[in-house]
Amino acid sequence: MYDYLIVGSGLFGASCAYLLHKKGKKVLVIEKKDVVGGGIRTERKDGIDVHIYGPHIFHTSDKEVWDFVNQFVTMNDFINCPIANFHGKLFHLPFNMNTFVDMWGISDPEVAKKKIQSQIEESGIKEPKNLEEQAISMVGTDIYETLVKGYTEKQWGRPCKELPKEIIKRLPVRFTFNNNYFNDTYQGVPKEGYTALIEKLLEGVEVRTSTDYFQEEEHFRHLASKMIFTGMIDQFYHLQLGKLDYRTLRFETERLEQRDFQGNAVINYTDSETPYTRIVEHKHFNMVDSPVTYITKEYSKEYVEGDEAFYPVNNERNSTLYKAYLELSKKDPDVYFAGRLGMYQYFDMDDTILAAMKLIERIEG
């Protein structure tokens, strides 16, 4: 009945649906929730776009991707400048000269470089064996202890000494007074919200919400010639090789009868005692002037069945297991596993769109 069944209406699934529909393919998108949007969904409340599953700032240096998104929504000029709160003291992020003034009172870039380098040398770490040693070998002990350790341990639910060093591939340090978190050419948030982006991508495509693939698996397996599956690859195969690990988030969102709560979109809580990792104040993404505000506290936790899976845990065990599932998937050549969960890797939004473009180009030409 259909050329393609797409399981999941997040950014990957919706981008694939748009690209296939544009090629004249008959596409059905099914979504387990009663609304579309996946992890980037927003809901407008009191004129404020609330990011339901955490803050999303679109950033890219790829003009093709930027132009692609701007076909559907108008991006504002939001610049991500998060702040860290460590036991009540505030620090600018990413690590830059403002951070070093906050931490040491040092405003000279050369002095700051020497300070960090001396701490790296004093650590004596030549070949890092875990995340803690990897981080210290990049930014020294003060920055690690204040801005990395507690936040990372809350994120992953285990001590940094027990985490693989590969989790931190880089910790960018700038010796300028530039608080822009990203280095990309283009950056912003849709003025209409991310749900509007998804809805535009899905225009003209048949979409069924409140539809769980696994409730009617046999029916859906025979409904289309090909399938793009954006859910968990291990769940697709009913965990027959074992269970992949994921991290998830719990969100506490409050409506506050005040104009402003924290004066910034994102404040990270980098001490280990504060149970949440950050507080997001949504009105700052679109600079909304409103007498009320919405804030969300984020708590990181291990994924258990029934949760939303957000982050793959890319250690040796999971990497090996995922490769085994990829090998198993060869028996289903018309099923394409996509997105963070299907491909078991972290994607930024621009990476998601690029990967969707490459997938459709590969299978349709």
Side-chain angles (χ1 to χ4, degrees):
M1 292 176 60
Y2 299 91
D3 297 310
Y4 283 87
L5 169 70
I6 298 177
V7 181
S9 68
L11 184 58
F12 204 116
S15 297
C16 288
Y18 169 80
L19 294 166
L20 289 166
H21 178 67
K22 195 174 176 183
K23 288 179 176 287
K25 302 299 178 180
K26 190 174 182 185
V27 180
L28 171 65
V29 176
I30 62 172
E31 168 58 55
K32 183 169 65 174
K33 298 187 184 70
D34 60 359
V35 290
V36 297
I40 68 169
R41 182 165 66 91
T42 53
E43 290 182 6
R44 185 155 292 185
K45 301 178 180 182
D46 296 301
I48 299 166
D49 287 319
V50 176
H51 297 225
I52 302 301
Y53 298 109
H56 288 83
I57 299 98
F58 199 96
H59 57 97
T60 187
S61 292
D62 190 308
K63 191 171 188 305
E64 181 185 9
V65 172
W66 183 250
D67 290 343
F68 177 84
V69 171
N70 278 272
Q71 294 177 84
F72 310 105
V73 290
T74 304
M75 304 298 281
N76 67 14
D77 58 356
F78 176 82
I79 300 296
N80 190 28
C81 300
I83 290 172
N85 183 315
F86 182 76
H87 295 304
K89 185 174 181 182
L90 301 182
F91 298 88
H92 289 80
L93 297 175
F95 312 140
N96 64 45
M97 287 309 302
N98 288 303
T99 317
F100 310 142
V101 171
D102 299 334
M103 187 169 293
W104 303 309
I106 293 174
S107 58
D108 184 324
E110 290 305 315
V111 175
K113 286 178 187 178
K114 289 177 182 176
K115 176 85 172 176
I116 293 171
Q117 189 57 42
S118 69
Q119 291 188 0
I120 293 171
E121 290 172 2
E122 285 171 16
S123 73
I125 298 168
K126 302 297 183 186
E127 295 184 13
K129 298 179 179 62
N130 52 52
L131 187 148
E132 177 169 289
E133 293 183 356
Q134 176 83 340
I136 292 172
S137 69
M138 291 175 167
V139 296
T141 51
D142 286 354
I143 294 174
Y144 168 72
E145 293 287 345
T146 306
L147 301 175
V148 179
K149 185 176 187 293
Y151 188 87
T152 304
E153 291 182 346
K154 287 189 289 187
Q155 268 192 319
W156 295 101
R158 47 187 62 84
C160 287
K161 289 181 179 179
E162 296 177 14
L163 290 168
K165 64 179 183 179
E166 289 77 17
I167 288 178
I168 291 185
K169 292 183 172 63
R170 63 188 185 91
L171 282 172
V173 177
R174 295 183 190 148
F175 295 96
T176 65
F177 288 89
N178 178 6
N179 292 326
N180 185 351
Y181 194 78
F182 302 116
N183 292 317
D184 290 304
T185 307
Y186 309 104
Q187 183 176 171
V189 174
K191 291 182 178 180
E192 305 90 333
Y194 282 105
T195 298
L197 169 60
I198 297 294
E199 289 173 344
K200 291 285 182 63
L201 286 165
L202 293 173
E203 276 185 4
V205 175
E206 183 178 345
V207 179
R208 298 182 196 173
T209 55
S210 302
T211 303
D212 188 343
Y213 169 81
F214 293 104
Q215 295 297 316
E216 301 178 73
E217 187 172 354
E218 198 60 35
H219 167 69
F220 286 121
R221 284 297 292 262
H222 298 97
L223 202 59
S225 304
K226 297 178 181 179
M227 183 195 309
I228 296 173
F229 186 83
T230 68
M232 295 181 282
I233 189 171
D234 56 340
Q235 185 184 25
F236 183 88
Y237 287 111
H238 302 283
L239 310 181
Q240 62 182 273
L241 301 180
K243 185 176 178 295
L244 288 164
D245 297 319
Y246 302 88
R247 294 290 293 176
T248 187
L249 297 168
R250 179 171 66 84
F251 304 96
E252 289 182 358
T253 299
E254 302 174 61
R255 180 184 188 272
L256 302 178
E257 297 286 339
Q258 60 191 81
R259 190 165 289 277
D260 204 335
F261 174 76
Q262 63 185 18
N264 203 54
V266 180
I267 295 185
N268 295 345
Y269 286 76
T270 59
D271 61 90
S272 57
E273 292 78 16
T274 303
Y276 40 85
T277 55
R278 60 184 174 182
I279 297 180
V280 177
E281 187 166 12
H282 302 272
K283 72 189 309 178
H284 294 292
F285 293 115
N286 267 325
M287 291 73 85
V288 175
D289 183 16
S290 168
V292 301
T293 192
Y294 285 82
I295 65 166
T296 299
K297 295 176 181 176
E298 289 187 15
Y299 300 79
S300 181
K301 62 188 285 285
E302 289 288 339
Y303 168 86
V304 295
E305 190 174 354
D307 288 338
E308 292 280 344
F310 284 99
Y311 305 109
V313 181
N314 295 121
N315 56 24
E316 187 176 345
R317 178 227 173 238
N318 287 310
S319 296
T320 301
L321 182 55
Y322 175 66
K323 287 175 184 175
Y325 274 115
L326 276 185
E327 189 64 28
L328 179 62
S329 73
K330 289 179 181 178
K331 74 175 188 179
D332 294 302
D334 293 324
V335 179
Y336 302 91
F337 295 95
R340 283 189 187 185
L341 307 182
M343 299 170 75
Y344 203 69
Q345 67 184 83
Y346 183 85
F347 281 108
D348 283 326
M349 285 183 286
D350 61 331
D351 297 327
T352 299
I353 291 171
L354 275 171
M357 289 175 170
K358 289 177 181 177
L359 174 63
I360 302 309
E361 181 66 26
R362 176 165 63 88
I363 60 181
E364 282 296 328

